[in-house]
Amino acid sequence: MEKNIIRAIKGTKDILPDQSKKWQDLESSFRNFIQAYGYREIRTPAFEKTELFERGVGEGTDIVTKEMYTWEDRNGKSLTLKPELTAPVVRAYIQNNLVGESPLTKLYYFDSLFRRERPQKGRQRQFHQFGIEAIGSPYPECDAEVVASAYLFLSGLGLSELTLKLNSIGSKKSRKNYCDALIEFLNPFKNQLSELSQKRLSANPVRILDTKISHEIEILKDAPVIYDFLSEDDKTHFIEVMDLLDGLNIPYTRDNHLVRGLDYYCRTTFEITSEVLGGQDALCGGGRYDNLVELLGGKPTPAIGFAAGVERIMIALNEKTPQSENFECDIYVITMLRDSIKTGMIVANQLRQSGFRVEMDSLRRSMKSQLREANKMRAKYTAILGEEELKNKKITIKEMGTGDQKTIEIDSILSFFQK
Ligand code: HAM
């Protein structure tokens, strides 16, 4: 390897041409899928005021305490590359008064995010998400539609080893009571907990439920369950969500430990995981966030959404069906002389403008290597401009499959291919 080359930053990845076709396909299938539910696209800036995430995502969360790319701008303002999209979308919703357009605002996105996490398979420092935010409805049918759409989209991609985990974490008040009970339960085990969990015990105890450490999982088996702390309204809401999902035949597993790592959630939380991913198995996560609009300065407005990680979906898809795409061309224009280059370029452009995929050599290779290249690209035809052709304003068309060839007037090339 050359000594002086500049490499990409750790935790970032190039999406090379043999992968980008899959990205395009995923993006367009998501657009088609979600537009059928009435969602419209929103695009927000790459960076925002740091305060948006501190207030929106929560000061005690991992994202805000240790994962944000934050810097002080020249005028002293603190700015942050967006680590997630719910807070920016809600900011844009409030700022642009989208509520004025309709009482229920349905937005979708496909975007790039930044979190300074420890890179590993399925975990990057720049990654991509697509997702939706439905802002305006407090009702369980909205939860069920959002959860179902996430599951149906992912399963529609052919990812079959999916698990949809569902929970309700209730209102802030029920969560406070639950936290107190959890602290009381965990205190006697404090010395057996990891350093991280000990910190969480005082800062944000419900996050301990996320632990992957086996003896902590064992301890937590007898821990109090959040469902028992939900208010009657929260329980009714959750039961209705489950009933609607049952009606839609969406298979889910109730997971009392699913609390999610962002502070804005209340009531319904969910994640979709895939067995093929190993450690970083969450393909998608989401939930209800009824207090966020108000927290960011808007009128109290209930909302729910999800976001799915594109890199993780790509890993899951590649494990299923490795596939790459090469450029395939319809017509390869072969120029045999310097003088034929200009005519070749004009012909190639006319054909492209009529919708054909056309390649023309710009390396001044020999006729033989141009033909070899045309074969490699699986060109259906070659259009050859030799000396004779040029002199007589003609062009020779060779059908690569059969070897049949025909010399025609250059001016008639479009009608030749369009017939
Ligand atoms: P999240 O769980 O932080 O939720 O992220 C959603 C998904 O993004 C994850 O399930 C994962 O697939 C992917 N993801 C997260 N971090 C990384 C990373 N470092 N590398 C690769 N993929 C990653 C949110 O972001 C919420 N805003 C979702 C939401 C929308 N809730 C309501 N509306």
Side-chain angles (χ1 to χ4, degrees), residues 261-324:
L262 303 96
D263 276 358
Y264 46 64
Y265 290 114
C266 63
R267 293 196 161 171
T268 310
T269 53
F270 67 102
E271 258 177 27
I272 301 175
T273 57
S274 162
E275 269 171 32
V276 299
L277 277 169
Q280 301 304 313
D281 64 352
L283 287 175
C284 164
R288 187 164 268 290
Y289 51 94
D290 291 346
N291 303 309
L292 186 60
V293 179
E294 191 179 6
L295 192 70
L296 295 178
K299 293 206 182 86
T301 313
I304 178 162
F306 76 79
V310 179
E311 282 79 2
R312 294 189 191 173
I313 292 174
M314 288 302 164
I315 294 172
L317 285 175
N318 279 343
E319 308 236 328
K320 277 186 76 75
T321 46
Q323 161 204 315
S324 68

Side-chain angles (χ1 to χ4, degrees), residues 86 106 118 129 149 168 212 217 251 304 311 317 351 395 404:
T86 309
K106 293 165 133 190
R118 198 165 43 78
Q129 282 184 347
S149 68
S168 173
K212 304 264 186 301
I217 295 174
I304 178 162
E311 282 79 2
L317 285 175
L351 289 165
I395 191 160
D404 291 349

Side-chain angles (χ1 to χ4, degrees), residues 84 86 115 117 122 124 129 133 260 264-265 282-283 305 309:
E84 65 100 49
T86 309
R115 293 185 194 173
E117 295 192 76
Q124 292 181 200
Q129 282 184 347
E133 311 294 348
R260 311 268 303 126
Y264 46 64
Y265 290 114
L283 287 175

